[in-house]
C-alpha cells in the first residue's frame, strides 16, 4: 500500500522560505512522477509543481510560483521536496503531494492523473 507523508509546513512571514518534504513508502521499487498541489479555503485544489522520475523534467504553475518555488527529488530517500522562497500571503494553503505510477517520466498538472495523495501540510504566510 502506497503512503505519502508531507512535512515542513508552518507559519512564516511574507518574504520568508519553507521547504516541504514528502516521503513515499510502499511501492518504491517502481518509477513514478510526483506532484505538489495546494488548496486554499473556499478554492479548488490547484497545481503547483511536478517532477518526473528522472528528476530532469519539471513543471510549474507559471503564473503563481515559477521563479520562487523549486521541486526536486531524492530517489534514494524516496522523497520529493518543494523549496518555497519569497513567500506571499496568497501562497497560504494546505499543500499536498501526490504520486502518479502510470506516467513516470512526463508528470501531469492534472490532479485526476495522480492516484495517491498525502494528508497535506498547512502553509500560512502572514503579511
Amino acid at each position: 500500500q502506497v503512503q505519502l507523508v508531507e512535512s515542513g509546513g508552518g507559519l512564516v512571514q511574507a518574504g520568508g522560505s519553507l521547504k516541504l518534504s514528502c516521503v513515499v513508502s510502499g511501492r518504491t521499487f517502481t518509477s513514478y512522477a510526483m506532484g505538489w498541489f495546494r488548496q486554499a479555503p473556499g478554492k479548488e485544489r490547484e497545481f503547483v509543481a511536478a517532477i518526473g522520475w528522472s528528476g530532469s523534467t519539471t513543471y510549474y504553475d507559471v503564473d503563481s510560483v515559477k521563479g520562487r518555488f523549486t521541486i526536486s527529488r531524492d530517489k534514494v530517500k524516496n522523497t520529493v521536496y518543494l523549496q518555497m522562497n519569497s513567500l506571499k500571503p496568497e501562497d497560504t494553503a494546505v499543500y499536498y503531494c501526490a504520486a502518479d505510477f502510470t506516467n513516470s517520466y512526463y508528470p501531469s498538472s492534472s490532479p485526476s492523473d495522480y492516484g495517491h495523495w498525502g494528508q497535506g501540510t498547512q502553509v500560512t504566510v502572514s503579511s
Side-chain angles (χ1 to χ4, degrees), residues 3-103:
Q3 289 188 322
L4 285 70
V5 179
E6 302 102 332
S7 61
L11 173 64
V12 64
Q13 288 188 332
S17 298
L18 284 174
K19 186 173 185 178
L20 307 183
S21 300
C22 174
V23 179
V24 182
S25 63
R27 192 177 167 181
T28 55
F29 55 88
T30 187
S31 58
Y32 52 94
M34 291 292 298
W36 284 99
F37 295 80
R38 67 186 182 186
Q39 188 166 17
K43 295 186 177 181
E44 294 186 353
R45 189 167 299 188
E46 64 177 9
F47 170 73
V48 176
I51 187 167
W53 173 246
S54 68
S56 61
T57 302
T58 57
Y59 295 121
Y60 297 90
D61 181 83
V62 175
D63 292 339
S64 63
V65 306
K66 192 169 185 180
R68 300 188 297 123
F69 291 9
T70 302
I71 189 171
S72 62
R73 71 187 303 165
D74 183 331
K75 290 190 285 185
V76 174
K77 295 182 178 180
N78 297 312
T79 302
V80 175
Y81 305 97
L82 185 68
Q83 176 68 49
M84 306 186 294
N85 299 327
S86 302
L87 283 162
K88 305 175 182 179
E90 51 263 43
D91 293 319
T92 295
V94 178
Y95 284 71
Y96 299 89
C97 65
D100 178 6
F101 288 87
T102 64
N103 189 12

